Amino acid sequence: MAVKYWVGDFFVDLSRNQVTQKQQSQTIAPKALAVLTYLAENQGKVVSYDELFTKVWPDTVVTPNTLQRSIAQLRKVLGEDSQYQSYIKTHTKQGYSLECEVRWQDKIDAQLLFEQELLLKSDKIEPKITQDNSFPHIPIESPHIESSRSESSGIESTSIRDSDAENKPQSALSWLTLIASIILAIISTIYFIQPQPFKLSVGELRSVTATDNKEFGGIYSPDGEYIVFLRYSEKLCVDSNLWAKHTKTQKEIQLTKNMARYGTPSFSKDGKKLVFIKTENCSQPVTQKQCYKLMTLDFEQALKTAQSPNLLMACKNSRIRKPTWLNNNNVALLQKISNRWKLASYSIVDNKSTVIYSLEDGNLIDYDYSVKDDLIALTSIHNDGLNYIETLKPNGEIISSHLIEYPPEIAKFRFLYPNFTPMNEQLIFSTGRQLFGLSYQGKITNISLPLDAPMGSPIFHPDGKRMLVIKGNWDSDIATISLSRITKTQADQFITREDENYSIIARSNIAEYDAQYQPNGDLIAFKSDRSGEDQLWITDGNSPLQLTHFLIDSRIDGHDWAVDGKSILVNANNVLTQVALASTQNSKQDSTEESFPFDHSIEQLFHWNSEDNTALITARIKGILTFGEFNLNNSEFRVITDKKVNWALKSEDGRLIYTDQMDRFWQPGPAEDQLIESLEHQGSDQRFITKNNVLYGINEQFQLWSYDLNGNTFKILGNTPINVDYLTDTNQVDILLSIRISAKKEVAELYLKD
């Protein structure tokens, strides 16, 4: 079956789950598109409800409302409703039919190739251009044409054979020959000239920092002699020092005197200095808890003895990241103000910044800079909600801007972080265990087989024969601790792994997160990377079982049980999917899945009320994170607040509680949201949970606390492990935690084959 076809004037691309008309694209749920495709395959015929259920939802029990929602979504996209049925017609108590012209891509391509093959044998030249290249249909009378190739020049030429040619004026023949040549050239350009694929073959992988430490943020020096990277502390994996390693002698040198929260560095063009971000707690936070400082380090001096970095610029009310030294000695960086990122250029000489590029109705994702070409490549989200690749000069001059064409193996909402390569107009990026090439025109090419471990986007060595990557996994476990054990700890005593009631219930050598008790059941659902990418797993306390099978390099950002404990709503690859537990046989857990269409990327699922089928989420709308409530029945989204929300839940009686970017607790009031003053300074990155209208949380001193919403009473219950990542659930007897074990990260090099 073709993956592209036309329904009337609408172009359907199954590989991207999109329907396009007049250059306006809409993303459609895969199941809805499957319904449309099956109707298209049976164009003009009545397809029964049962036939559609069997074809689109095989071996799955779904309600009639599921099919009706898909039909309603399709009609909305096609610009019709239940009364005006020019495309999809309802046949009462029978089924549906598609009542318009359907054209299949493979048949159109075959016809085009057939016509081109006969072009040199026909008396008419009639180039037919598809909707992808809207070129007018031009019939031109012409004499018979043959194609030949000059042996001396290798250039294709044409000759004319016609029985009456000698009697025709030479000017007419020349004119016809010219027109025919032009048309042939147009056809060749459109149909035969294809972009060259990104060819890259990896020969071997070599470790650069094979130690017990954790290393991140590796870059090459401009001359290629050194690799500079961040080496993190063993305890919290927050503070780091900058280190350098000579690529030939393998000698390692500590560059900074004291550990701090440093970001990935960037070299000046001459290789003499480094620039990077230092993050620290604000002494008097106003709009954010973290302050950001742009720092510089004398690399040549640091190679001799460790140095203290120098401050260039401080930001207390905005966030800055990814500083990059430009050829003009300015520093480019991304700066976030009022939820939007802009690309700025900071002048060290003038001590001021100017905007290079920003989007008023979109947002920036990432960028890279080519010293060789003095060019910036930038990924962004435009006002249509889609991702683009732009190239621009450091002065802001736009060179090109193209929609990124996502292949089926990459989730449609996934952010891309590409870097420059030595290849002409080609970038490279990683989705974890896969490498891809990205052209300046937005074309993506898979350039390698899946890797054995997740890796960051490669950075090329100046010689172009090897690439620097960060590889490895986070290692965290699911732990349970009794509340009574926590309340017995003293103020200066923390729970350790050796404690009697500190039990690990899900353990692997990679990440296990977000465990939740099954309502009215004995199972625990959690997210795990143990199969290679994020999947939902369940356990009864003994052997874990994989519940979902999302595509490679998938990401899960939130899940929640239904009240009856029979299904789970999961945010996988920025799309909400309900996973129903069907039955358990022979220790194998079966499940069925149903996705819910939404035009925007869902970044985080916080809470699901399965009774009214609404979910608390943050959605990325025109590039901006927006907190609100999503109705799964009709796909409507209601904005709740314009604040940046870190975490949110609803209590059993329906009260909304959320934390902002300052980790302050809020709940809606009669006129405006009200601050919960009793919880001031109790918020942290460890989130919070609710049970029977009681909030539980962990503060920055790793103390577990409770707050009764009905009695407005606050208590410190006791201490938790200092390596806790998240507090995830409680049954009021035990609590569930994600416990950080280690971060197995290292710098490595990919060597290319000749």
Side-chain angles (χ1 to χ4, degrees):
M1 183 192 73
V3 297
K4 298 179 182 180
Y5 60 94
W6 282 264
V7 175
D9 295 331
F10 291 87
F11 176 61
V12 182
D13 187 346
L14 297 180
S15 66
R16 300 184 63 198
N17 296 326
Q18 285 187 347
V19 175
T20 303
Q21 184 193 40
K22 297 179 180 178
Q23 299 182 343
Q24 296 296 318
S25 297
Q26 300 182 62
T27 301
I28 311 300
K31 292 296 185 184
L33 276 185
V35 171
L36 179 62
T37 301
Y38 194 68
L39 292 175
E41 291 173 341
N42 295 274
Q43 189 265 341
K45 300 178 183 178
V46 178
V47 181
S48 68
Y49 305 128
D50 290 341
E51 188 175 353
L52 284 169
F53 284 130
T54 301
K55 181 66 178 179
V56 180
W57 293 274
D59 304 320
T60 304
V61 178
V62 294
T63 65
N65 288 338
T66 303
L67 175 58
Q68 292 170 6
R69 284 200 302 267
S70 294
I71 293 293
Q73 186 189 11
L74 292 172
R75 283 177 168 156
K76 180 180 179 181
V77 171
L78 298 172
E80 64 176 16
D81 54 34
S82 58
Q83 303 299 320
Y84 179 70
Q85 300 179 3
S86 59
Y87 290 91
I88 301 175
K89 184 176 180 180
T90 301
H91 300 268
T92 306
K93 297 183 179 181
Q94 297 182 58
Y96 300 98
S97 65
L98 189 63
E99 301 292 332
C100 64
E101 180 187 9
V102 176
R103 293 170 292 156
W104 298 94
Q105 177 71 63
D106 55 356
K107 295 180 180 179
I108 292 173
D109 289 345
Q111 177 65 22
L112 286 169
L113 291 172
F114 178 73
E115 291 180 3
Q116 292 161 10
E117 185 177 327
L118 295 181
L119 185 63
L120 303 178
K121 301 179 181 179
S122 66
D123 292 331
K124 292 184 179 180
I125 300 176
E126 299 184 358
K128 295 183 179 180
I129 311 302
T130 65
Q131 184 171 332
D132 288 348
N133 298 281
S134 52
F135 191 83
H137 176 82
I138 309 175
I140 300 178
E141 298 291 339
S142 73
H144 195 81
I145 300 175
E146 285 185 342
S147 178
S148 64
R149 183 169 296 273
S150 168
E151 294 182 0
S152 60
S153 65
I155 300 175
E156 190 171 280
S157 61
T158 57
S159 61
I160 302 176
R161 292 190 296 106
D162 195 305
S163 58
D164 299 325
E166 295 179 359
N167 300 325
K168 294 181 179 180
Q170 184 66 32
S171 60
L173 284 174
S174 300
W175 183 82
L176 288 172
T177 302
L178 177 62
I179 294 296
S181 299
I182 292 173
I183 293 175
L184 282 173
I186 293 173
I187 294 173
S188 297
T189 300
I190 294 174
Y191 295 111
F192 294 116
I193 297 178
Q194 300 294 333
Q196 293 297 315
F198 189 177
K199 296 180 180 179
L200 184 149
S201 181
V202 176
E204 62 177 312
L205 175 66
R206 297 181 186 176
S207 294
V208 174
T209 57
T211 69
D212 291 331
N213 297 293
K214 297 170 283 290
E215 291 89 13
F216 293 84
I219 62 168
Y220 290 109
S221 60
D223 58 11
E225 290 190 4
Y226 287 93
I227 294 173
V228 175
F229 58 91
L230 299 169
R231 177 163 285 161
Y232 283 76
S233 64
E234 179 63 30
K235 291 184 178 180
L236 298 179
C237 200
V238 174
D239 292 342
S240 64
N241 265 316
L242 278 171
W243 285 73
K245 186 165 188 173
H246 197 279
T247 56
K248 293 181 180 179
T249 66
Q250 302 300 302
K251 180 182 179 181
E252 291 189 350
I253 305 166
Q254 183 176 326
L255 301 177
T256 50
K257 281 186 177 180
N258 302 309
M259 301 192 82
R261 279 176 280 179
Y262 298 130
T264 301
S266 170
F267 270 100
S268 58
K269 185 179 180 180
D270 59 13
K272 295 181 179 181
K273 294 182 179 181
L274 290 165
V275 67
F276 47 90
I277 301 295
K278 178 182 177 182
T279 306
E280 58 186 28
N281 293 331
C282 294
S283 57
Q284 293 181 331
V286 178
T287 60
Q288 57 190 22
K289 293 180 70 173
Q290 306 296 321
C291 289
Y292 300 87
K293 296 181 177 181
L294 184 65
M295 313 295 292
T296 185
L297 185 75
D298 189 316
F299 180 64
E300 292 185 327
Q301 290 298 320
L303 288 175
K304 300 174 183 177
T305 181
Q307 302 287 305
S308 296
N310 298 312
L311 176 66
L312 291 177
M313 176 182 67
C315 294
K316 298 181 179 180
N317 298 306
S318 66
R319 181 182 175 187
I320 55 175
R321 66 181 176 91
K322 199 170 185 179
T324 303
W325 225 306
L326 303 175
N327 287 348
N328 61 7
N329 207 36
N330 284 2
V331 176
L333 49 83
L334 289 168
Q335 183 176 20
K336 187 177 184 181
I337 301 176
S338 301
N339 293 326
R340 292 191 191 275
W341 290 97
K342 64 181 181 181
L343 182 62
S345 176
Y346 170 72
S347 171
I348 299 175
V349 175
D350 299 329
N351 191 30
K352 67 178 183 179
S353 298
T354 57
V355 176
I356 297 176
Y357 185 70
S358 64
L359 291 169
E360 293 183 0
D361 208 12
N363 217 341
L364 308 188
I365 300 172
D366 189 49
Y367 80 100
D368 192 33
Y369 175 66
S370 170
V371 173
K372 174 178 172 290
D373 298 327
D374 194 28
L375 189 69
I376 293 170
L378 181 145
T379 50
S380 62
I381 307 172
H382 286 206
N383 57 10
D384 57 6
L386 302 177
N387 292 354
Y388 287 74
I389 175 72
E390 276 102 14
T391 59
L392 56 151
K393 290 292 185 181
N395 62 5
E397 177 189 353
I398 304 295
I399 305 300
S400 65
S401 178
H402 293 277
L403 177 70
I404 299 176
E405 301 180 15
Y406 280 65
E409 58 264 43
I410 302 179
K412 61 183 178 180
F413 290 122
R414 189 178 188 116
F415 282 178
L416 307 183
Y417 301 90
N419 294 325
F420 279 97
T421 73
M423 294 73 169
N424 186 37
E425 296 192 359
Q426 289 285 354
L427 306 162
I428 190 171
F429 68 91
S430 169
T431 57
R433 293 189 296 140
Q434 298 181 102
L435 292 178
F436 294 90
L438 173 64
S439 73
Y440 292 0
Q441 291 73 40
K443 308 291 184 182
I444 293 178
T445 306
N446 196 324
I447 59 175
S448 78
L449 294 175
L451 303 169
D452 65 340
M455 297 185 183
S457 294
I459 296 174
F460 267 87
H461 188 274
D463 65 13
K465 297 179 181 180
R466 48 185 161 155
M467 301 178 290
L468 202 63
V469 296
I470 305 299
K471 66 182 292 285
N473 295 288
W474 290 97
D475 184 3
S476 59
D477 294 344
I478 304 298
T480 179
I481 308 174
S482 68
L483 285 171
S484 61
R485 172 69 183 88
I486 290 178
T487 56
K488 292 178 182 178
T489 61
Q490 301 298 317
D492 58 350
Q493 181 184 2
F494 292 97
I495 296 175
T496 64
R497 203 180 315 179
E498 290 74 23
D499 282 312
E500 183 179 10
N501 293 318
Y502 180 165
S503 301
I504 299 295
I505 62 172
R507 166 73 185 138
S508 70
N509 60 359
I510 51 179
E512 323 279 354
Y513 279 109
D514 299 343
Q516 294 181 11
Y517 291 111
Q518 179 188 29
N520 307 310
D522 299 322
L523 299 175
I524 294 175
F526 62 96
K527 179 182 77 173
S528 176
D529 294 345
R530 63 178 65 190
S531 62
E533 56 275 324
D534 284 359
Q535 303 289 351
L536 275 186
W537 290 67
I538 56 173
T539 182
D540 57 2
N542 296 311
S543 57
L545 298 173
Q546 186 173 336
L547 189 63
T548 60
H549 297 83
F550 299 119
L551 56 82
I552 188 172
D553 290 335
S554 287
R555 291 189 59 180
I556 290 177
D557 293 294
H559 63 270
D560 200 10
W561 283 97
V563 173
D564 60 9
K566 295 181 179 180
S567 64
I568 303 172
L569 187 67
V570 55
N571 178 30
N573 298 315
N574 309 103
V575 176
L576 292 180
T577 300
Q578 185 176 353
V579 182
L581 277 64
S583 62
T584 304
Q585 294 178 346
N586 299 324
S587 300
K588 179 182 178 181
Q589 181 69 45
D590 299 323
S591 65
T592 58
E593 299 177 4
E594 179 185 2
S595 296
F596 295 88
F598 193 43
D599 293 335
H600 308 283
S601 168
I602 296 176
E603 298 297 309
Q604 180 69 54
L605 167 65
F606 300 108
H607 174 82
W608 177 35
N609 185 337
S610 60
E611 294 179 325
D612 62 12
N613 218 18
T614 59
L616 293 177
I617 64 170
T618 50
R620 193 173 293 277
I621 300 176
K622 296 182 179 181
I624 302 300
L625 289 177
T626 306
F627 173 65
E629 189 172 68
F630 179 70
N631 189 317
L632 279 69
N633 296 318
N634 55 22
S635 298
E636 292 183 355
F637 179 67
R638 177 178 65 88
V639 177
I640 294 178
T641 179
D642 58 359
K643 294 187 181 77
K644 183 182 183 300
V645 172
N646 284 348
W647 195 250
L649 291 173
K650 279 189 176 181
S651 61
E652 283 76 5
D653 59 6
R655 278 178 282 185
L656 169 65
I657 310 294
Y658 68 87
T659 55
D660 62 12
Q661 64 181 355
M662 301 279 286
D663 289 327
R664 298 174 299 188
F665 287 80
W666 297 83
Q667 58 183 338
E672 60 184 11
D673 292 355
Q674 303 293 313
L675 185 67
I676 304 179
E677 296 182 359
S678 299
L679 297 180
E680 189 174 2
H681 307 304
Q682 299 303 319
S684 70
D685 294 336
Q686 281 73 38
R687 302 177 180 173
F688 66 92
I689 57 177
T690 63
K691 193 69 174 182
N692 294 337
N693 297 319
V694 176
L695 300 184
Y696 295 89
I698 298 175
N699 59 29
E700 292 181 344
Q701 288 73 46
F702 298 100
Q703 296 172 318
L704 179 71
W705 52 262
S706 68
Y707 178 74
D708 190 322
L709 291 170
N710 294 327
N712 297 324
T713 54
F714 171 79
K715 294 180 181 178
I716 295 290
L717 301 179
N719 291 329
T720 66
I722 60 173
N723 60 335
V724 59
D725 268 340
Y726 299 115
L727 171 66
T728 60
D729 203 3
T730 183
N731 56 11
Q732 293 192 307
V733 175
D734 301 317
I735 60 171
L736 287 172
L737 302 167
S738 294
I739 300 295
R740 183 176 60 258
I741 304 302
S742 65
K744 298 177 181 178
K745 297 286 185 178
E746 63 176 300
V747 181
E749 285 185 299
L750 291 172
Y751 282 76
L752 306 183
K753 292 181 180 179
D754 294 333

